[in-house]
Amino acid sequence: MTTALLLAAPLAAAQTTQADAAAAARDSAIAADVTTVMAERQIPGAQVAIVMPDGAIWERSFGLRDLASSLPMTSDTLIQVGSVTKIFTASLIADLVAERSIKWSDSLVARLPGVSIRPDLADITLDELATHTARLPPNPPNRVDVDGVMQPYSVAALYASLSNPDVRRVEPGRSYSNWGYALLGHVVEKAAGQRFEDVLRERIFEPLGMSHSKIDLSPADERRLAVHYWPEDEPRIPRPRWVFGEVAGFGGITSTAGDLAKFLRYQIEPESRGEVLDAAGMQSLRAVRTLGSSWQAGGGRGWLVIRDPDGTITLEHSGEVDGHSSYIGFSPDTDVGVAVAANLGGSSAREIALAALGAHRGAGAPAATDEQRGRDVAGQKAPVG
């Protein structure tokens, strides 16, 4: 063995030891900050997955999926991700645009021929729906919730909503609308000639290896679903889950943080992750098309665009179905992303995500402004901008 090799071996071993120590310290810091937030907010369980710049995914589960039976949250526990579904819907629209099946400038009346649509709604475009600038109310006028839990919504009801004489348009600007993404999800079905879930499966879930992601749940899936807990309940008590029915493009996906991280990894670098969705189409979702009162928060097609005080850009979306919450976000400046799924509603998942990212960066989680805390959820919205 040469002298150079003899000298190199201890150096390589030392570098490996240092890297392992740094990784262990990072893991401990993330776990400590996540468990602190969970204790403060009384969040029963959560999954956290961080996408590293090299594409590796760090994944951990914390707490319990079921408080009564002390069942642990695991990597394959299912969570209803709510409005994070909207990024999937926008991605499918962008892919269909790239195929020239549809155009962002297409109107509702063009995409839904034969459907009775009020004249003032007929010219709404797909781009306006995707950017929440269609001046639609947050929810369809005929959506039914029972005891705070959404009931299945049908295509027939969606069509009926478009001719409802009682709908009042909101003021111009960005106004978050589940109704708009319900319509976009149906446009995907019409353009692709398949059920929304089948399009998701063929174009996103299967190519990206998202084996836990779905909309319709089997009895076995139901047994893997984490118990739902509402933030206003103290002590925490089990609550019923949401059921989306035929119309699900605004919030119907059930998944795991690990699966969401696979989708996030593709969104970070679509041009280098193989042929799944159109790379240019995914990039087009990021462009800021609406701004808040200051350049701290803006909106793209689906994505919220947050600018931190140091100028770092984060693209993100949160979701909630009362008893579950979720978050996905990444910085195109660092190629680091985070996905969180939790079995408590409200802003639980986003707060965990900020804590995990803060620990990953080696600092405390950045304080979010009131504007940045505008929550995208399947059931309600405090608008950002």
Side-chain angles (χ1 to χ4, degrees):
M1 184 177 293
T2 66
T3 302
L5 288 175
L6 288 171
L7 292 173
L11 178 60
Q15 290 174 337
T16 299
T17 301
Q18 290 173 350
D20 290 344
R26 177 203 64 201
D27 292 358
S28 296
I30 294 171
D33 284 10
V34 167
T35 53
T36 295
V37 170
M38 291 178 64
E40 291 174 349
R41 288 290 316 278
Q42 300 178 52
I43 301 169
Q47 304 162 339
V48 179
I50 298 176
V51 182
M52 304 299 182
D54 63 359
I57 295 175
W58 179 98
E59 185 178 357
R60 296 289 187 277
S61 298
F62 302 88
L64 301 175
R65 57 173 280 194
D66 184 338
L67 292 173
S69 60
S70 298
L71 290 174
M73 181 72 74
T74 61
S75 61
D76 63 353
T77 299
L78 296 177
I79 297 288
Q80 291 189 282
V81 306
S83 282
V84 163
T85 301
K86 291 180 174 68
I87 300 298
F88 289 81
T89 301
S91 297
L92 291 175
I93 291 286
D95 203 46
L96 290 164
V97 168
E99 292 180 358
R100 302 184 184 276
S101 299
I102 57 177
K103 296 182 291 186
W104 286 110
S105 59
D106 283 347
S107 65
L108 279 177
V109 71
R111 297 315 322 167
L112 301 176
V115 177
S116 177
I117 304 176
R118 275 179 26 175
D120 63 325
L121 303 180
D123 292 334
I124 290 174
T125 67
L126 303 188
D127 186 64
E128 289 172 327
L129 294 174
T131 56
H132 297 290
T133 57
R135 299 181 56 203
L136 291 178
N139 293 302
N142 55 354
R143 192 183 108 173
V144 176
D145 291 15
V146 176
D147 296 329
V149 177
M150 180 183 166
Q151 302 304 297
Y153 193 65
S154 68
V155 171
L158 184 67
Y159 286 172
S161 73
L162 293 172
S163 58
N164 189 307
D166 298 326
V167 172
R168 296 290 181 267
R169 305 292 294 281
V170 302
E171 293 297 315
R174 188 177 189 276
S175 181
Y176 188 89
S177 179
N178 293 309
W179 189 10
Y181 268 80
L183 289 164
L184 279 179
H186 187 56
V187 167
V188 167
E189 292 183 313
K190 298 285 283 186
Q194 298 173 279
R195 293 171 61 247
F196 181 69
E197 182 170 12
D198 294 334
V199 184
L200 279 171
R201 184 183 304 109
E202 290 185 10
R203 295 188 181 229
I204 300 179
F205 294 164
E206 289 183 353
L208 294 180
M210 298 174 63
S211 59
H212 300 302
S213 300
K214 56 200 69 186
I215 292 176
D216 294 335
L217 301 183
S218 69
D221 294 329
E222 293 273 6
R223 289 191 291 272
R224 292 168 51 204
L225 194 67
V227 174
H228 290 62
Y229 298 102
W230 291 5
E232 57 266 38
D233 290 335
E234 293 185 11
R236 303 284 184 238
I237 59 174
R239 292 287 191 168
R241 75 174 183 92
W242 283 25
V243 182
F244 283 84
E246 292 180 297
V247 179
F250 65 99
I253 292 175
T254 296
S255 189
T256 65
D259 268 17
L260 293 178
K262 293 175 182 177
F263 175 71
L264 198 55
R265 178 170 59 188
Y266 184 78
Q267 290 288 340
I268 292 172
E269 288 190 325
E271 64 282 347
S272 63
R273 294 290 174 190
E275 293 294 328
V276 180
L277 299 167
D278 181 75
M282 299 309 99
Q283 294 285 354
S284 76
L285 303 181
R286 305 181 183 187
V288 176
R289 297 172 182 275
T290 60
L291 284 176
S293 57
S294 64
W295 188 187
Q296 287 182 310
R301 288 172 173 151
W303 290 111
L304 296 179
V305 186
I306 304 297
R307 188 175 72 163
D308 291 338
D310 64 0
T312 300
I313 298 296
T314 301
L315 286 88
E316 65 172 34
H317 210 296
S318 299
E320 183 203 26
V321 290
D322 293 331
H324 283 178
S325 60
S326 65
Y327 173 92
I328 59 172
F330 71 95
S331 170
D333 299 320
T334 63
D335 288 345
V336 172
V338 62
V340 175
N343 60 341
L344 184 72
S347 59
S348 306
R350 188 173 191 272
E351 294 186 32
I352 291 172
L354 293 178
L357 279 177
H360 177 265
R361 292 169 181 158
T369 65
D370 289 341
E371 184 177 35
Q372 289 169 337
R373 286 186 182 277
R375 291 188 291 114
D376 285 333
V377 299
Q380 59 186 353
K381 173 64 184 177
V384 176

